[in-house]
Amino acid sequence: MSVTQTGSRTGRRIRNWKPLALTAAAVLVGITLPTAAASPAVATTTAYDDTYYEGAIGKTGPALKDALHTIISDQTRISYSSVWNALKATDQDPNNSNNVILLYSGTSRSKSLNGGDTGDWNREHVWAQSHGDFGTSAGPGTDLHHLRPEDVRINSIRGNKDFDNGGSAVSGAAGNYTDSNSFEPRDAVKGDVARMILYMAVRYEGDDSWADLEPNDSVTNGSSPYHGRLSVLKQWNAEDPPSVFEENRNEIIYDNYQHNRNPFIDHPEWVEAIW
């Protein structure tokens, strides 16, 4: 990582929303455009565009994916045991500094209740470990950009399922649904899940001893290094834009732990630009 990029960590991100020209033109001439279910209607600019993302700005498709891979692969790896304390910082309840917010259930739970017993929270791999068989070694198994606190029981229910819409309601986690091969998270974190999965697909491309992780449109990926369902993840990214909590989490990981960023939190429109 360059000196300029490292220095930019102390600056807060500035988001500037820019409506697409097509929408503006349609308003002027009175045309009603069809609703795009999976395409964000805005582009963004950030304080990192001239530094951290300099090599990616203006690119699309495979060229953008390659540029982002190069950028975000420059990271500090942490151990799996260190993830416990890291999550206590990245996922701290903004209204109660003694607690963390659990990803799927949305519950605020004491930081001290981390472990493997009923009522504890543990370390959920949003990109399931078995999808590429990367375990918990430093690398994809400890990457904070897809590790989140979750209730032990709810984490077990999600298991290694792909993500999709539908299923039966998950008891104890309102707004979540599951069936035999997929899991649907609550609306408030659908976009978070999508951006975490797609971050992993860009960060891990098979060139650093780990599997080449890729999204696809299947919900039966098993132990293959794929995660789905891409079409649904794209929809979730569009419908649930980054929240303040998600943005703050990105900053903490960048500033204090891995020193890399999830580009889809900074630029959610890049999802559609790549896929």
Side-chain angles (χ1 to χ4, degrees):
M1 182 175 294
S2 69
V3 174
T4 302
Q5 291 167 351
T6 303
S8 72
R9 292 180 196 144
T10 58
R12 301 303 292 177
R13 188 162 65 86
I14 301 170
R15 182 180 289 278
N16 179 30
W17 298 97
K18 295 182 179 180
L20 292 176
L22 179 60
T23 302
V27 171
L28 290 175
V29 299
I31 297 173
T32 301
L33 291 174
T35 301
S39 178
V42 293
T44 61
T45 57
T46 82
Y48 296 110
D49 288 358
D50 293 332
T51 53
Y52 188 73
Y53 292 123
E54 183 179 11
I57 298 301
K59 295 179 179 177
T60 60
L64 175 58
K65 188 169 185 265
D66 289 347
L68 292 176
H69 171 68
T70 299
I71 293 167
I72 67 178
S73 293
D74 185 4
Q75 74 181 89
T76 299
R77 296 178 180 177
I78 67 172
S79 68
Y80 195 48
S81 60
S82 298
V83 169
W84 286 122
N85 284 332
L87 293 181
K88 293 175 183 179
T90 60
D91 292 75
Q92 178 174 292
D93 183 344
N95 297 315
N96 185 345
S97 61
N98 294 316
N99 289 9
V100 292
I101 298 294
L102 308 187
L103 175 63
Y104 302 130
S105 61
T107 303
S108 177
R109 186 164 299 173
S110 173
K111 291 179 178 178
S112 65
L113 291 176
N114 62 297
D117 297 329
T118 301
D120 288 344
W121 61 268
N122 58 7
R123 296 159 291 187
E124 154 72 336
H125 290 80
V126 177
W127 185 292
Q129 296 174 53
S130 64
H131 292 226
D133 192 27
F134 51 73
T136 59
S137 299
T142 67
D143 197 314
L144 292 171
H145 283 297
H146 85 118
L147 281 160
R148 301 292 291 267
E150 187 48 65
D151 175 80
V152 168
R153 186 181 66 85
I154 304 303
N155 194 354
S156 178
I157 291 172
R158 187 269 156 138
N160 71 343
K161 296 173 182 175
D162 291 279
F163 293 101
D164 197 4
N165 291 313
S168 301
V170 176
S171 174
N176 295 266
Y177 299 88
T178 192
D179 56 24
S180 63
N181 55 24
S182 71
F183 190 88
E184 177 185 350
R186 60 193 175 101
D187 289 348
V189 296
K190 279 184 165 70
D192 305 50
V193 166
R195 288 180 283 274
M196 285 186 280
I197 291 293
L198 298 176
Y199 160 86
M200 293 291 283
V202 171
R203 169 58 187 89
Y204 299 98
E205 292 278 53
D207 56 1
D208 53 2
S209 79
W210 305 111
D212 181 2
L213 306 182
E214 291 295 338
N216 65 10
D217 229 33
S218 172
V219 289
T220 56
N221 284 304
S223 61
S224 299
Y226 306 112
H227 229 303
R229 183 181 299 266
L230 176 59
S231 58
V232 172
L233 294 172
K234 289 171 62 178
Q235 180 183 12
W236 290 353
N237 173 67
E239 293 177 348
D240 174 36
S243 65
V244 171
F245 186 91
E246 191 180 358
E247 292 175 340
N248 184 62
R249 192 175 192 280
N250 201 22
E251 295 290 348
I252 293 172
I253 294 171
Y254 180 61
D255 289 338
N256 301 330
Y257 294 100
Q258 296 182 183
H259 311 304
N260 72 338
R261 304 183 67 79
N262 182 335
F264 303 116
I265 296 175
D266 294 324
H267 284 277
E269 76 279 7
W270 280 348
V271 169
E272 197 67 25
I274 293 174
W275 289 283

